[in-house]
Amino acid sequence: RCGAAPGIGDSHGIRAVGLARRRRRPYGRGMRISDVIRRKGGDVITVRTDASVSELLSLLSEHKIGAVVVSDDGESVHGIVSERDIVRHLHTDGAGLLDAPVGQIMTAEVHTVSPDDSLDDLESMMTERRFRHVPVVGDGKLVAIVSIGDVVKNRIDDLQAERDQLRTYIQS
Ligand code: AMP
């Protein structure tokens, strides 16, 4: 089920889509998105819909990130824009794109997760839909963003912890 998340982007007629609930399988000791946020922190870079693509490029470069949540108030999710959107539009629209507003190239139907969702489900969403970034929304407000890099890091940390436990067990 993909439901519209209440209060997110509705004033703009834009739908933010919550994580589809699926069959759950045990993974990483049942890690939740909130665990990932605790590890990485909840800083989210946002950009306004009326900012220019050129300003967006500055943000991506300055913060060394690949996507920015589009939000006019820093709390509601109005869209998401990644380096892929810029590349695609540069190819079709040409260099004039740099002066265009971010709202023109962003993806308006944003798939989000809540802090209580499982990392397992997020991983499936990223794989199936080919997103590398997913905003985290709690109580109708943007609280974090999780990237594929964060997911991979958590996976590796988990595997290493499990390996260390097994090694200790075998050696004891
Ligand atoms: P990415 O892999 O995150 O660089 O994004 C690839 C494409 O998917 C771009 O067109 C993004 O605007 C879009 N996109 C990225 N993340 C999301 C998301 N959470 N919900 C909807 N679209 C997204």
Side-chain angles (χ1 to χ4, degrees):
R1 182 179 63 88
C2 272
I8 305 163
D10 41 13
S11 60
H12 294 245
I14 293 165
R15 215 156 57 88
V17 184
L19 179 67
R21 303 261 168 205
R22 265 187 298 273
R23 167 183 62 85
R24 292 179 191 275
R25 66 184 154 83
Y27 159 63
R29 291 184 294 278
M31 194 173 281
R32 310 243 145 236
I33 306 298
S34 51
D35 300 318
V36 181
I37 300 172
R38 208 169 300 122
R39 280 187 189 180
K40 70 159 271 186
D43 288 347
V44 197
I45 308 295
T46 62
V47 66
R48 291 175 51 87
T49 40
D50 59 3
S52 68
V53 172
S54 178
E55 288 171 272
L56 169 65
L57 282 174
S58 302
L59 278 179
L60 293 173
S61 164
E62 184 186 332
H63 297 279
K64 300 186 173 64
I65 52 177
V68 179
V69 175
V70 184
S71 172
D72 287 342
D73 59 9
E75 290 187 342
S76 312
V77 178
H78 298 134
I80 188 162
V81 64
S82 95
E83 48 205 2
R84 286 203 181 156
D85 299 309
I86 301 173
V87 169
R88 198 164 53 238
H89 281 273
L90 260 183
H91 177 65
T92 51
D93 307 345
L97 179 74
L98 296 181
D99 297 322
V102 165
Q104 195 175 306
I105 66 164
M106 71 181 189
T107 300
E109 189 167 317
V110 184
H111 289 259
T112 61
V113 287
S114 103
D116 294 332
D117 284 321
S118 74
L119 188 56
D120 183 20
D121 281 351
L122 171 64
E123 203 179 77
S124 303
M125 180 206 272
M126 285 179 147
T127 308
E128 284 164 20
R129 299 189 178 272
R130 295 169 179 265
F131 301 146
R132 292 171 297 176
H133 306 87
V134 177
V136 185
V137 173
D139 294 329
K141 289 181 184 164
L142 176 66
V143 291
I145 185 163
V146 181
S147 76
I148 193 85
D150 301 322
V151 173
V152 170
K153 182 176 184 323
N154 272 273
R155 262 288 207 201
I156 292 171
D157 288 352
D158 259 16
L159 287 171
Q160 280 174 347
E162 198 171 303
R163 185 198 59 189
D164 292 347
Q165 277 176 7
L166 285 171
R167 196 171 273 166
T168 308
Y169 175 72
I170 290 165
Q171 289 168 351
S172 61

